Amino acid sequence: MRLRLIPLLFVALGLPGVSLAQTQAFDGQVSRDGVTLYYQDASGALAAPLRKRIIDTFYFAYLRERADFRPTAPNEVRIVIDPAYNGVAYVGDKDKASTITISPGWLLKHPDDIDLVTHEAMHIVQGYPSYGDKRVPGWLVEGIADYARDRYGMDNGAAGWALPLKVGKGQTVESGYRVTGAFLKWAEGEHPGLVLALDKALRDGRYVPALWQKQTGKTLPVLWTQYAKPRLDAPPPAPARRGKR
Ligand SMILES: [Zn+2]
């Protein structure tokens, strides 16, 4: 596949007290398989190799996430590198619904966590009408995004990122993220098509808890128990007893 990059480079000129050529702002676009990506790094926070990995990871994940879940998902996406943003990465709503904002500080510290792009790209595919309410529970939105990170990720292993094989104490299906993602992977294995059906219902505002039963024949609490029971973390071994004195 051909990669077209149209970079506009701005090199800061020698202002007093500032050494030359330190800022390489980047504002360019790439098109691949019908999807155009606009990439903006106004402060030049990330160097070219990391930029390339972000772009490659985006396409690797998004094209397949989109094809599998919503072929009509946006064909124009923006990635903004924003040093003023203190989180990790996010996709916003309304005019930010197809924009991934990334904290360069996080990626510079955790360059192997490249598949955060895969998680965020899935949020664009999801494109749900709201977030964190009855119709669109936040735990399920994040669970599906981490399910997708596992399924479509470029190199989760490098980051030491994986869906957990065990269920920790106090975790529930509503713990979200990896906990819910691992449950969804199991549930999808048992009931193929489940995640697709959940995603569609969430997008159409039709999600209700009864949907789990409709799709699998079991209620959500029953499914969770079936999943969690054999995976519960064993309690830590009791401290070795001292011999009697
Ligand atoms: Zn997320």
Side-chain angles (χ1 to χ4, degrees), residues 57-70 115 118 122 125 148-154:
T57 302
F58 168 77
Y59 276 108
F60 184 72
Y62 186 70
L63 290 174
R64 291 173 303 133
E65 291 171 337
R66 186 172 178 260
D68 288 356
F69 283 88
R70 182 164 66 114
D115 278 303
T118 303
M122 188 61 194
V125 171
R149 175 171 176 162
D150 173 71
R151 184 166 156 189
Y152 302 100
M154 178 91 115

Side-chain angles (χ1 to χ4, degrees), residues 124-204:
I124 295 177
V125 171
Q126 288 174 312
Y128 301 151
S130 60
Y131 182 91
D133 55 33
K134 248 181 146 182
R135 283 281 168 86
V136 187
W139 59 266
L140 187 51
V141 179
E142 299 302 343
I144 292 174
D146 266 356
Y147 166 85
R149 175 171 176 162
D150 173 71
R151 184 166 156 189
Y152 302 100
M154 178 91 115
D155 197 359
N156 282 309
W161 189 100
L163 293 178
L165 301 173
K166 297 251 179 194
V167 174
K169 210 174 166 228
Q171 291 180 338
T172 74
V173 70
E174 298 191 3
S175 293
Y177 294 95
R178 278 187 248 194
V179 175
T180 305
F183 166 71
L184 287 171
K185 186 177 181 175
W186 169 84
E188 174 71 21
E190 299 281 310
H191 307 279
L194 171 65
V195 178
L196 203 62
L198 291 168
D199 170 69
K200 268 200 177 1
L202 288 162
R203 187 153 46 254
D204 297 346

Side-chain angles (χ1 to χ4, degrees), residues 9-14 20-25:
L9 292 173
F10 307 94
V11 179
L13 294 173
L20 203 66
Q22 69 286 62
T23 306
Q24 294 213 317

Side-chain angles (χ1 to χ4, degrees), residues 84-159:
Y85 170 56
N86 289 322
V88 176
Y90 73 97
V91 167
D93 57 4
K94 295 181 186 122
D95 59 323
K96 289 270 184 86
S98 55
T99 297
I100 300 172
T101 302
I102 298 175
S103 153
W106 174 269
L107 263 191
L108 286 170
K109 257 185 261 160
H110 308 273
D112 288 331
D113 196 20
I114 199 73
D115 278 303
L116 64 84
V117 174
T118 303
H119 174 109
E120 299 305 328
M122 188 61 194
H123 282 324
I124 295 177
V125 171
Q126 288 174 312
Y128 301 151
S130 60
Y131 182 91
D133 55 33
K134 248 181 146 182
R135 283 281 168 86
V136 187
W139 59 266
L140 187 51
V141 179
E142 299 302 343
I144 292 174
D146 266 356
Y147 166 85
R149 175 171 176 162
D150 173 71
R151 184 166 156 189
Y152 302 100
M154 178 91 115
D155 197 359
N156 282 309

